[in-house]
Amino acid sequence: MPTLLEALEEKYGLEPDDKEDHADEEVLVSIFVPKLPPRQSTPQLLILNDCNIDRAGEPEDLKKKCRIVKELDLAQNKLNNWNEVFVILSHMPRVEFVNLSLNHLTGPIETPAVTKLDHLRNLVLNNTKLEWCSVETLLRLLPALEELHLSLNEYTHVLIDTAGSEDTGVTSSTDTGGNANATAPATSQKQEENEEESMGNDNTAEEPASSSGHRSRTSSSSSQSTEVPPFRTNPHAGVRKVHLTGNYIAEWSEICRIGRVFPQLETLVLADCPLRSIKPTDAEGNTENAEESHKYFPNLKLLNLSNAKIDSWEDIDRLSRFPVLSNVRLQYWPLWSRTDSMTEHERRQLLIARLPNISILNGGDTIGAVEREDAERSFIRHYLDKPETERPPRYYELVGVHGKLDPLVNIDLRPERKVKVRFTFEDKTVERTVDVNRTVSDLKSRLERLFEVPASRMRLYYVDQDLRDLGAEEMKYPTKVLYSYNIRSGDEIIIERKVKS
């Protein structure tokens, strides 16, 4: 497999620097040549994904060629050793963005001796199966980090926190293999001893592995579960965005740890996570004595909860208590299947009315003052006929703003579908009900049996009851729909037989 340096030279056509090999040759003609022609210079955005790279390469050459790189994409390679990653990054002093997704970087990480990563602001580690102990190490190594992607890593719990489980009142219960990241740091002697004891346990050794190479992700089986305290770390004040899309985290108590570790967090993406509620649970799994959902998110502005397993309007009300939250995505919840009788517009109105601080909902346009007022008035009317026990607190808040509104009058502006029309043929007159959605041709076919005149020999003339003085209008076109004549009950249609020519 190629090194990063070899992949770089193959893709960008860079050649080894052979200047020193010709240093002793006599210079006959002096010609100015750019030191690094544009075609042969390494770009600031270096993309080498899916190149089978498994190691760095010659350090000196790598240092010469990569010193100006600011963005590095090494997704879907064969890197599995963090030492090689640090060697690569040590030769890119300006790097600000690194994508290592789809490399098998489970860890643990040994702190590098000389690597300085003060400029790295955005780190993407999706689908790397990175362990939480390694995440904690990286946070200590990256003081300038602002955005962290940890999606699709099969996390069932968040095993980093600013305090031990005894301080937060929250514990994690999962099997030792249920979380691909539930192993202990290599530097912890006590946890190493626990691992050795676990290896000597016959029940653990005989436990079957899942098809993905580790045990079940769930914690429902008491025989497979064990309490795993989170790794204690210091808050990281730099991180503003965290992405955890597609993990298996189901409890908001785990998400609260993200808030404690990243107190300045502004964006949190939890799409495709099976969260059951936005209310945290305490150590016993109860919600009554648990902390408030928004307690650790004082700066959160954007929250993506699409495809969560939430089925409660109370969780919508909890979102309204986040102090600066203004942008949410709440699509594809089980809750919406219970509102199938509503249109998308009606559902949007209910959400806008319940979330007074939200300015962007599900990626739509900014919610304006007029739309918000319409939504709040519609919300009041929606609960007018409901029992008081079903009315949420937000209903009474809005009644205090807009007053108790009268129900809207239901006015149906659709035209009548069936009308009574008088049909006249020669000296015979009958009254029949007509479906105005039918065509002139269809009407003739029905009149054929009534007056014994072939449809092909029939002429129809429409007479508006209010415009008789203007005469009759011939209904010439067979495919024209009857309602286009504005036919009403009481109008007349005259039938004539075509004269043979």
Side-chain angles (χ1 to χ4, degrees):
M1 286 182 281
T3 65
L4 183 144
L5 184 62
E6 290 169 346
L8 175 64
E9 292 172 350
E10 180 179 353
K11 180 171 183 177
Y12 294 96
L14 301 180
E15 298 178 357
D17 191 347
D18 55 358
K19 182 178 180 181
E20 293 182 0
D21 297 340
H22 302 280
D24 297 332
E25 294 183 6
E26 183 179 359
V27 179
L28 300 178
V29 180
S30 297
I31 301 176
F32 173 76
V33 178
K35 184 176 181 182
L36 287 175
R39 182 177 172 276
Q40 293 186 347
S41 61
T42 305
Q44 291 187 346
L45 170 57
L46 183 56
I47 301 176
L48 293 172
N49 48 24
D50 198 15
C51 292
N52 291 320
I53 297 169
D54 64 343
R55 59 193 187 281
E58 179 59 36
E60 288 303 317
D61 288 343
L62 197 61
K63 183 176 181 179
K64 292 176 183 178
K65 291 179 170 60
C66 296
R67 60 183 179 272
I68 66 169
V69 172
K70 288 189 176 181
E71 298 183 36
L72 175 63
D73 186 350
L74 290 176
Q76 203 167 347
N77 280 290
K78 304 298 183 183
L79 293 166
N80 58 13
N81 188 323
W82 275 102
N83 290 334
E84 289 296 325
V85 174
F86 289 132
V87 168
I88 292 170
L89 297 181
S90 66
H91 300 310
M92 301 180 182
R94 301 183 185 180
V95 69
E96 298 177 358
F97 170 93
V98 175
N99 183 3
L100 296 170
S101 298
L102 292 163
N103 288 279
H104 195 66
L105 293 167
T106 56
I109 298 176
E110 295 181 6
T111 304
V114 295
T115 301
K116 187 177 182 181
L117 301 172
D118 291 344
H119 292 88
L120 187 57
R121 290 178 170 80
N122 193 320
L123 181 58
V124 184
L125 297 167
N126 299 333
N127 206 352
T128 58
K129 308 303 180 285
L130 189 72
E131 300 168 359
W132 282 109
C133 59
S134 300
V135 175
E136 192 273 337
T137 302
L138 288 172
L139 292 177
R140 287 189 279 108
L141 293 173
L142 305 173
L145 190 65
E146 297 177 359
E147 185 167 345
L148 179 61
H149 294 248
L150 296 170
S151 299
L152 300 171
N153 280 333
E154 300 186 2
Y155 298 141
T156 58
H157 296 75
V158 176
L159 297 183
I160 52 173
D161 205 339
T162 57
S165 58
E166 69 280 359
D167 299 322
T168 63
V170 180
T171 59
S172 292
S173 180
T174 182
D175 59 82
T176 55
N179 182 350
N181 317 281
T183 58
T187 56
S188 173
Q189 180 179 357
K190 180 178 179 181
Q191 291 174 345
E192 283 179 353
E193 293 172 355
N194 292 338
E195 288 179 359
E196 292 174 1
E197 293 176 3
S198 176
M199 291 296 290
N201 189 316
D202 293 338
N203 294 333
T204 305
E206 294 175 1
E207 190 172 339
S210 67
S211 59
S212 59
H214 51 77
R215 301 181 186 93
S216 170
R217 301 182 185 103
T218 62
S219 58
S220 57
S221 173
S222 58
S223 64
Q224 293 181 342
S225 63
T226 180
E227 291 187 358
V228 181
F231 306 116
R232 188 162 186 166
T233 187
N234 294 322
H236 194 295
V239 173
R240 300 292 194 274
K241 298 179 181 180
V242 172
H243 293 248
L244 286 166
T245 297
N247 286 294
Y248 305 119
I249 303 169
E251 300 296 335
W252 190 256
S253 303
E254 304 293 323
I255 304 303
C256 287
R257 291 174 176 162
I258 295 292
R260 288 193 286 268
V261 173
F262 306 115
Q264 301 300 320
L265 193 65
E266 297 177 0
T267 297
L268 179 57
V269 179
L270 300 170
D272 301 324
C273 292
L275 285 163
R276 294 188 288 262
S277 176
I278 306 174
K279 186 169 182 59
T281 55
D282 60 17
E284 284 72 37
N286 302 316
T287 59
E288 289 78 5
N289 302 319
E291 299 164 317
E292 295 179 319
S293 307
H294 60 275
K295 180 175 180 180
Y296 300 106
F297 300 93
N299 301 295
L300 191 64
K301 298 177 181 178
L302 186 154
L303 178 61
N304 187 336
L305 292 171
S306 292
N307 273 318
K309 302 301 180 185
I310 297 173
D311 193 20
S312 166
W313 283 105
E314 286 74 15
D315 284 308
I316 300 295
D317 296 333
R318 292 185 184 107
L319 288 175
S320 68
R321 302 187 187 110
F322 285 68
V324 297
L325 187 64
S326 60
N327 187 342
V328 293
R329 284 184 177 267
L330 313 174
Q331 296 164 300
Y332 315 114
W333 284 10
L335 176 61
W336 310 141
S337 64
R338 294 199 285 112
T339 60
D340 281 346
S341 58
M342 297 182 186
T343 65
E344 190 67 32
H345 176 68
E346 290 171 335
R347 189 181 300 150
R348 177 178 171 86
Q349 284 189 317
L350 289 181
L351 286 170
I352 291 173
R354 283 184 182 260
L355 299 169
N357 299 323
I358 298 303
S359 58
I360 299 177
L361 176 62
N362 293 332
D365 294 333
T366 301
I367 300 168
V370 174
E371 184 182 11
R372 180 166 295 283
E373 183 175 347
D374 289 346
E376 291 174 351
R377 288 178 174 275
S378 176
F379 184 84
I380 293 173
R381 292 190 174 97
H382 177 79
Y383 284 99
L384 275 177
D385 298 330
K386 306 285 185 184
E388 289 192 8
T389 54
E390 295 183 17
R391 293 174 178 171
R394 182 64 178 159
Y395 169 82
Y396 300 100
E397 293 175 10
L398 292 177
V399 167
V401 175
H402 301 289
K404 194 168 184 178
L405 308 176
D406 295 327
L408 293 175
V409 178
N410 187 14
I411 301 176
D412 191 352
L413 299 178
R414 293 174 298 180
E416 291 182 275
R417 180 178 176 182
K418 294 186 177 182
V419 296
K420 285 189 176 182
V421 177
R422 189 168 69 255
F423 293 94
T424 302
F425 175 66
E426 296 178 348
D427 58 351
K428 183 179 178 181
T429 299
V430 296
E431 190 176 78
R432 290 288 186 271
T433 299
V434 176
D435 187 340
V436 297
N437 289 319
R438 297 188 180 278
T439 64
V440 172
S441 176
D442 188 47
L443 178 60
K444 285 183 178 182
S445 298
R446 293 174 180 275
L447 293 175
E448 187 177 35
R449 298 188 296 272
L450 184 62
F451 295 105
E452 297 180 352
V453 178
S456 60
R457 303 290 306 279
M458 191 183 296
R459 292 183 187 274
L460 302 182
Y461 296 88
Y462 166 62
V463 181
D464 190 316
Q465 58 189 311
D466 297 329
L467 301 172
R468 285 185 175 276
D469 295 341
L470 299 178
E473 177 184 358
E474 184 176 359
M475 304 170 77
K476 296 180 180 180
Y477 306 105
T479 58
K480 191 170 183 180
V481 184
L482 297 179
Y483 67 71
S484 63
Y485 291 96
N486 294 320
I487 297 177
R488 297 169 296 152
S489 294
D491 290 346
E492 182 182 9
I493 293 178
I494 299 172
I495 304 157
E496 289 186 357
R497 188 192 302 266
K498 289 182 182 179
V499 180
K500 291 183 179 180
S501 55

